[in-house]
Amino acid sequence: MTLSGQSILVTGATGAIGQAICRALAAEGAGVVIHYGRNRDAAEALLASLGGKGWCFPADLSDSRGPQLLWDAATSAAGRLTGLVNNAGIR
């Protein structure tokens, strides 16, 4: 089974685990929505390493409005999201 045609949002995508998840999803053909909190450069570098097949969006998920803003931006760009990987965390 491949993920061709699927759009998957990965929160906390710029950390080591998030990057590995994004790479695995992209390798299976998914379009990846890369969430980042502060590090835009890392998100854009990750997107470039995926061949530009995806999108990057910032969001502060500790703010009660953050998740909805992220979801709205992701669905606006990618259309229907078919998956979500909740990888974001606070240390």
Side-chain angles (χ1 to χ4, degrees):
M1 181 173 112
T2 71
L3 296 175
S4 181
Q6 306 297 308
S7 297
I8 301 174
L9 169 59
V10 179
T11 65
T14 58
I17 293 171
Q19 288 183 34
I21 292 167
C22 291
R23 287 190 177 100
L25 292 170
E28 290 295 322
V32 181
V33 179
I34 298 167
H35 160 256
Y36 64 96
R38 294 180 202 94
N39 196 339
R40 180 179 179 169
D41 291 340
E44 290 178 351
L46 175 58
L47 180 60
S49 78
L50 302 178
K53 296 178 183 174
W55 307 266
C56 297
F57 294 106
D60 179 357
L61 299 182
S62 68
D63 180 314
S64 63
R65 297 168 295 169
Q68 186 65 56
L69 293 171
L70 175 59
W71 185 265
D72 292 345
T75 56
S76 178
R80 181 175 174 258
L81 294 176
T82 54
L84 168 65
V85 178
N86 283 314
N87 181 61
I90 298 173
R91 292 181 225 188

